[in-house]
Amino acid sequence: MIAKRDLQKIFWLLLLFLLFIAPALLMFWRSLSPGAVWPELFSGEWNFRAWQVIFSDGNIINALINTVLIGAAVVLINFLLAVPAAYGLARFNFKGKPLIESVMMMPILIPVLAIAMGMHITMIRIGLTDTMTGVILIHLMPTLPYAIRVMKSGFDRLSITWEEQSAVLGVGRFRTFFTTLIPLLLPSIRSMAVLVFVISLSQYVLTSIIGGGQVSTLPLIYYPYFNSADSAVVAGFSVIFVLLPMLFFLVFEGLIRLYLSAVRSA
Amino acid sequence: MFNNTPLKRFSAFGYLLPALSVILFFAGYGLYSAFRNSLHLGEERPLFASYQELLLESPFWESVSISIWVAFSSTVISLVIGIFLTRRLVRLFQRDDWKFAAWFPMLLPHFVAAYIIYLLFAPSGWFSSLAAQIGWIDTMSQFPVLVNDPLYTGVIFTYVFKEIPFVILMMLPVYQEMDLRYEDVSKTLGGSDWTVFKTVEVPWVMPVSLEVFLILFVFVLGAFEVPALLGVTYPKMLPVLAYEWFYQAAWANRPLAQAMMVLLSAVSLLAAFLILRFTYKWRSHWAMRREDV
Amino acid sequence: MLMELKNASKSFRDTEIFHDLNLQITEGSVMSLVGPSGCGKSTLLRAVAGLTALSSGQILIENEDMTTVKAEKRPVVMMFQDPLLFPHLTILENVTYGLKYGRNKVNKTERIKRGRELLEKVELESYENRYPNQLSGGQKQRVSLARALILNPSVILLDEPFSSLDPELRHSIRTWVRSFLKRENVTALFVTHDREEAMILGDRIAIMKNGTFCQVGSPEDIYHHPKTDEVADMFSEGIIYKGEFISSGRLKIKTADEPAAEETALGAVINYRIYKYGLPFYAVTIEVSGQEVMIHSDQAWKREDEVMIAFRPEATNELTAVESEK
């Protein structure tokens, strides 16, 4: 006999699955099975033709590499900027703190398009347009406020006594940060990295304006593909965008393991 | 070591400086130069000519209304559904294992979500096929136009699909931290479900809901990616129009595009200021009342 | 003198936390610091640890001035209310944390050897490869103690280390810690708001209120000879009569006609009776002063009984003049 509560749980999980995951699975199936003709819901045949097309396209491979490099660099720079900023906001009280906090949220309160359009000429002057560096820098705008927010709530949840405990055990601040704070903040660091990577992966218009078409990333090739007749290829292309963050997450998790064991054996 | 001496205050700025200078350089200086570029400095035309032209230009107002329609409806729908799901699921599940399912769309870029909506709701899409299978329609053209339609239904669907998880992500900690004992107190004192909702849940949830509303509304107003795929040529949403002007006629329309973006930024910042001020007041007001209890 | 405070004062903004404190702790002794919450005792402990700076005054440890030395460079270790074991490290790695990253680094073999020694001392040698979440609250505090003592600190500071434990565990671990500290000849400064705990652990006790020490001395001395009415109130049991403190042990409950001529007798009312340590005790309220006190009596009294509280002033040569501040 199943309790009413369990039935309710099953119902809600099923609903969540149908709403949020099933559509992505449909897309995945479409990349393997292009055959369905209206009004057919599913066709039985399937093959890897679309994936062969995608992976034999040099442009896509090149864009894929660029996208991953840009995403990884954006995550790294976000970490370097957001962790100290979040520490400063979480651990110190000073006059004008609300103002500084709002300024740090500014890039998500105004359209990034405005920033990109405004910076375009300036970035041409300092030679940052049409370069990976320029694209990486402009990707900081839609990501940094979220990174700071996630890391700040991480620090807020972490009692300052951990740092004090480490200090009274004779360990300096710098070492405390690497041996204690980073491991304790891992949940926040993990969400920050995935969130930032996905946002960077989603940028079309910033990359297009600052990269000037010279820096080719996956979204830039995706747009022209969108209306192409070969629906299996578009579907497969879309699936890549879902797989990349997952792959990134796995690699990142591996790096974390390496880091932790390095900290312990050092 | 952890004192609030003047030296410490100085070092707080040391921690903040790198991030702050990057943000000020790009967002601050970027906005400033967008504003400068939108003016006609040292030209024969009046300084604010592009703003005049913009405000008298009819496609601009058409874009304003369609943008507000899309931003408002998608934000409200996401908020309502997202909050409903959160409060239901938090009470049903003690552990939050379910959240992976709800957060999955966060992993999708907006344009991929747009493609999924296209796959489902296009005239040749999955729901159209389903309708035909059931026998409701006989030809594709009988299926209502839900993508690339002048009401931007597909765009709204995409945003709702993408933003519900964001709402859940933001609201979940709020509901988890909400002290359910207040609800019990209110109930034992004879409060109806409605009073309980009004006096316990709303005050607790309101500030974050408004902040989420602000972030989403402003984001949808300024985002290019989805309407560029699922929109129509007329009326265009503001960012799509601005992007078009930005590259049109050998950059001649750039001041116009920048003027539009400056106006949009100004309105967004004003809305942010008002909403954040309101939530701040709301919080301190209710914090006081909580202490009275 | 192992540790010494000289005119130590601390203010935060305009609020004075404590001022002009002088204290001396001899080697191998435990000093208990008792006081109500907000009296400044925890801040004092943090100042000794170096986690907060003194506004004026000095902290000397083994005759060296530590006042401006950073926390990580002081030969003191502090234990907090929570055990704060690093969750990503095993028990052994937690214990050797300070040896690995701290001031005096020690090579790995030596580290492991000393870590195991300490774990053995706190009777947790079989747990070295477990993680903190697999230990009970009391075990965690013992690991935390081992982690502190492995550094051979001159002084160990204990900030209510038992307050996060449930009452039963509390009882057993404080006795254990007491004998452990004595066996290892550790010098310690122990902060608590619990009178009993202060007596169990402390060789000497400092009573603190409103940022000053009201009295410093041995537990017996403070219990029997409180110097001020506040100390009597916080630490002792008895009544104050005409500026003198009379310990509860000297008081007798009698009927109105019983007191002898040489005895002082005060009218009182019986409130209730409890049993403790095999004996009945009565809570009585003295009519003239309104003071409530617990008195042992073998006679049976009922609630609301009107009685006399009698004592012999001249017989109690231990009486101490109390400074009336009120």
Side-chain angles (χ1 to χ4, degrees):
Chain A
M1 171 80 192
I2 305 171
K4 188 180 160 216
R5 202 182 167 80
D6 286 330
L7 271 179
Q8 276 184 332
K9 282 187 183 180
I10 292 168
F11 168 77
W12 284 101
L13 285 178
L14 204 66
L15 187 77
L16 288 179
F17 175 80
L18 283 179
L19 275 180
F20 297 125
I21 298 184
L25 290 178
L26 179 72
M27 177 174 79
F28 183 63
W29 179 247
R30 184 55 61 89
S31 76
L32 294 173
S33 169
V37 180
W38 193 90
E40 210 177 8
L41 283 172
F42 296 103
S43 101
E45 4 159 349
W46 63 279
N47 54 52
F48 288 107
R49 188 193 54 83
W51 289 95
Q52 279 163 353
V53 171
I54 290 169
F55 283 107
S56 57
D57 188 334
N59 288 332
I60 294 187
I61 301 301
N62 178 39
L64 183 71
I65 294 169
N66 281 345
T67 307
V68 171
L69 288 180
I70 291 172
V74 173
V75 169
L76 183 70
I77 299 176
N78 262 289
F79 180 80
L80 295 177
L81 294 174
V83 169
Y87 185 82
L89 289 176
R91 288 289 185 261
F92 297 92
N93 269 317
F94 47 87
K95 237 180 158 184
K97 189 166 151 181
L99 179 73
I100 288 192
E101 270 184 284
S102 341
V103 169
M104 288 191 159
M105 288 302 126
M106 207 166 82
I108 57 170
L109 293 179
I110 56 178
V112 278
L113 201 54
I115 299 174
M117 287 180 172
M119 288 305 288
H120 188 228
I121 300 289
T122 314
M123 287 181 81
I124 289 176
R125 271 196 218 118
I126 48 182
L128 283 173
T129 44
D130 303 357
T131 66
M132 291 266 272
T133 318
V135 172
I136 290 169
L137 288 175
I138 203 74
H139 278 196
L140 291 177
M141 284 305 103
T143 51
L144 193 51
Y146 285 110
I148 293 174
R149 225 182 144 131
V150 170
M151 291 315 299
K152 179 178 179 280
S153 64
F155 277 113
D156 283 340
R157 276 195 299 269
L158 193 67
S159 161
I160 194 172
T161 45
W162 288 101
E163 288 152 64
E164 295 180 339
Q165 176 69 78
S166 191
V168 294
L169 289 169
V171 182
R173 263 189 191 210
F174 196 64
R175 273 172 174 276
T176 299
F177 177 75
F178 287 103
T179 60
T180 307
L181 287 189
I182 288 197
L184 290 173
L185 284 170
L186 273 183
S188 304
I189 294 175
R190 207 177 270 132
S191 346
M192 188 271 282
V194 174
L195 189 64
V196 166
F197 188 81
V198 171
I199 297 177
S200 165
L201 189 64
S202 315
Q203 297 307 317
Y204 171 81
V205 78
L206 290 185
T207 319
S208 155
I209 292 179
I210 302 300
Q214 300 301 304
V215 182
S216 163
T217 61
L218 283 180
L220 254 54
I221 326 190
Y222 184 81
Y223 271 66
Y225 260 94
F226 191 84
N227 293 317
S228 91
D230 197 338
S231 71
V233 174
V234 190
F237 207 157
S238 307
V239 169
I240 292 182
F241 284 101
V242 187
L243 293 181
L244 270 185
M246 294 182 173
L247 217 62
F248 172 80
F249 181 75
L250 289 179
V251 172
F252 191 75
E253 212 47 47
L255 288 176
I256 287 176
R257 291 281 150 79
L258 277 181
Y259 176 83
L260 283 182
S261 65
V263 163
R264 298 167 79 159
S265 62
Chain B
M1 181 175 168
F2 298 99
N3 271 350
N4 214 350
T5 58
L7 193 71
K8 286 292 125 190
R9 244 170 278 150
F10 182 73
S11 76
F13 285 107
Y15 288 112
L16 297 171
L17 200 62
L20 204 56
S21 41
V22 167
I23 288 173
L24 278 179
F25 178 65
F26 282 96
Y29 183 72
L31 208 54
Y32 163 76
S33 34
F35 179 62
R36 249 186 84 96
N37 296 339
S38 71
L39 302 176
H40 291 274
L41 287 165
E43 288 177 42
E44 282 176 17
R45 302 171 66 189
L47 201 56
F48 289 100
S50 32
Y51 289 89
Q52 267 175 4
E53 198 182 328
L54 187 69
L55 298 178
L56 296 174
E57 189 104 18
S58 75
F60 172 69
W61 289 110
E62 291 287 331
S63 294
V64 167
S65 37
I66 197 70
S67 281
I68 288 179
W69 153 248
V70 172
F72 188 79
S73 52
S74 54
T75 304
V76 168
I77 296 172
S78 314
L79 256 180
V80 169
I81 299 180
I83 290 181
F84 174 77
L85 282 176
T86 313
R87 64 195 301 270
R88 194 72 204 85
L89 294 168
V90 161
R91 286 177 171 83
L92 191 60
F93 293 88
Q94 282 82 34
R95 304 197 308 155
D96 48 8
D97 303 337
W98 55 270
K99 73 185 178 192
F100 175 76
W103 288 1
F104 181 74
M106 298 274 295
L107 290 178
L108 304 175
H110 275 90
F111 45 77
V112 173
Y115 175 69
I116 288 179
I117 295 299
Y118 181 84
L119 212 56
L120 291 175
F121 293 99
S124 60
W126 198 80
F127 278 117
S128 163
S129 297
L130 186 68
Q133 294 282 352
I134 296 173
W136 287 349
I137 57 172
D138 299 318
T139 62
M140 270 191 214
S141 55
Q142 285 173 302
F143 193 72
V145 185
L146 293 175
V147 295
N148 302 107
D149 62 313
L151 279 177
Y152 280 71
T153 320
V155 175
I156 295 172
F157 281 3
T158 307
Y159 282 128
V160 169
F161 177 66
K162 266 291 286 176
E163 311 311 357
I164 286 175
F166 180 77
V167 174
I168 295 179
L169 173 84
M170 300 288 283
M171 300 310 295
L172 188 60
V174 180
Y175 271 96
Q176 281 172 339
E177 280 162 27
M178 185 170 79
D179 198 338
L180 289 176
R181 285 176 309 176
Y182 279 110
E183 283 196 355
D184 295 339
V185 171
S186 187
K187 270 182 200 155
T188 48
L189 293 175
S192 67
D193 282 355
W194 171 245
T195 356
V196 172
F197 178 75
K198 206 175 64 182
T199 56
V200 179
E201 195 169 325
V202 169
W204 183 256
V205 168
M206 189 62 143
V208 183
S209 311
L210 271 175
E211 270 169 44
V212 173
F213 177 88
L214 171 74
I215 293 177
L216 290 182
F217 188 79
V218 166
F219 172 79
V220 175
L221 270 191
F224 170 88
E225 273 77 3
V226 180
L229 292 177
L230 296 184
V232 285
T233 17
Y234 188 86
K236 286 188 172 69
M237 276 183 75
L238 289 170
V240 180
L241 189 62
Y243 187 75
E244 193 182 274
W245 285 351
F246 195 68
Y247 286 111
Q248 230 173 28
W251 297 14
N253 278 340
R254 280 201 166 183
L256 216 51
Q258 316 238 29
M260 186 204 293
M261 280 299 133
V262 168
L263 275 183
L264 197 53
S265 304
V267 171
S268 301
L269 284 178
L270 186 71
F273 175 74
L274 291 177
I275 286 189
L276 292 179
R277 225 174 73 124
F278 175 75
T279 56
Y280 180 77
K281 277 192 176 167
W282 180 283
R283 276 204 177 107
S284 45
H285 172 72
W286 278 93
M288 271 166 60
R289 294 189 56 168
R290 279 264 150 106
E291 276 162 24
D292 290 343
V293 173
Chain C
M1 209 46 60
L2 196 97
M3 194 196 118
E4 211 173 339
L5 291 180
K6 284 185 177 168
N7 306 89
S9 301
K10 169 80 184 173
S11 325
F12 184 71
R13 304 233 168 93
D14 298 329
T15 324
E16 191 174 67
I17 315 277
F18 53 77
H19 76 273
D20 247 359
L21 298 181
N22 290 289
L23 190 71
Q24 298 185 328
I25 305 179
T26 52
E27 190 173 352
S29 72
V30 178
M31 171 73 78
S32 290
L33 199 53
V34 202
S37 52
C39 71
K41 57 190 196 300
S42 284
T43 311
L44 176 60
L45 205 67
R46 292 169 59 79
V48 176
L51 296 173
T52 187
L54 287 182
S55 307
S56 65
Q58 272 186 310
I59 298 166
L60 302 180
I61 294 170
E62 290 174 322
N63 297 320
E64 268 185 68
D65 190 355
M66 288 288 148
T67 318
T68 55
V69 176
K70 280 185 175 180
E72 55 262 38
K73 302 251 162 77
R74 293 191 191 191
V76 296
V77 180
M78 178 157 158
M79 268 180 72
F80 295 81
Q81 294 187 3
D82 297 309
L84 298 175
L85 300 183
F86 304 117
H88 59 290
L89 301 179
T90 63
I91 298 307
L92 185 64
E93 285 169 330
N94 261 288
V95 172
T96 55
Y97 181 84
L99 292 181
K100 188 172 173 185
Y101 304 111
R103 246 166 316 143
N104 310 309
K105 288 176 193 61
V106 171
N107 72 44
K108 196 171 177 182
T109 2
E110 175 69 11
R111 224 158 56 206
I112 292 177
K113 198 181 129 240
R114 284 177 54 190
R116 288 193 174 135
E117 262 172 42
L118 256 298
L119 277 180
E120 214 167 296
K121 281 182 184 167
V122 297
E123 297 153 39
L124 288 170
E125 60 272 30
S126 58
Y127 289 79
E128 62 169 67
N129 290 320
R130 305 263 186 115
Y131 281 86
N133 61 7
Q134 297 169 296
L135 267 61
S136 72
Q139 289 172 328
K140 282 187 203 165
Q141 275 300 15
R142 271 147 65 193
V143 174
S144 182
L145 190 62
R147 179 176 65 180
L149 291 177
I150 201 170
L151 299 172
N152 289 321
S154 304
V155 187
I156 176 163
L157 309 171
L158 305 156
D159 186 9
E160 309 215 14
F162 312 127
S163 61
S164 62
L165 305 176
D166 60 64
E168 265 175 61
L169 202 56
R170 233 179 131 130
H171 274 88
S172 62
I173 200 172
R174 63 195 188 189
T175 328
W176 184 91
V177 167
R178 159 79 195 178
S179 51
F180 183 84
L181 292 179
K182 287 292 114 188
R183 195 165 60 235
E184 301 293 323
N185 196 32
V186 178
T187 314
L189 181 54
F190 169 62
V191 158
T192 180
H193 62 265
D194 185 300
R195 189 177 65 183
E196 257 177 66
E197 247 167 37
M199 283 196 262
I200 295 172
L201 268 90
D203 298 303
R204 285 162 63 75
I205 289 174
I207 308 281
M208 196 168 176
K209 196 177 179 188
N210 296 333
T212 53
F213 290 142
C214 309
Q215 193 171 353
V216 182
S218 69
E220 303 74 31
D221 190 34
I222 299 181
Y223 186 79
H224 291 300
H225 310 286
K227 272 192 191 155
T228 68
D229 48 0
E230 281 163 341
V231 176
D233 211 35
M234 271 193 290
F235 201 77
S236 222
E237 285 142 323
I239 58 166
I240 293 159
Y241 178 67
K242 288 190 177 163
E244 288 180 321
F245 173 77
I246 298 110
S247 162
S248 160
R250 309 264 163 213
L251 303 174
K252 291 191 174 62
I253 305 177
K254 297 189 169 178
T255 50
D257 46 351
E258 262 184 315
E262 69 272 24
E263 281 181 326
T264 308
L266 303 169
V269 178
I270 304 279
N271 294 329
Y272 57 85
R273 178 184 58 198
I274 60 159
Y275 289 95
K276 223 175 179 185
Y277 318 118
L279 297 171
F281 287 84
Y282 291 90
V284 297
T285 304
I286 312 283
E287 269 161 5
V288 272
S289 60
Q291 297 177 88
E292 193 182 89
V293 64
M294 303 294 301
I295 303 171
H296 164 63
S297 171
D298 287 322
Q299 263 175 283
W301 303 99
K302 289 199 304 293
R303 197 176 286 196
E304 313 262 310
D305 272 355
E306 299 203 352
V307 294
M308 298 304 281
I309 300 300
F311 55 92
R312 291 167 195 269
E314 68 278 12
T316 53
N317 48 6
E318 293 150 24
L319 282 183
T320 316
V322 170
E323 298 159 22
S324 290
E325 287 179 12
K326 284 173 189 168

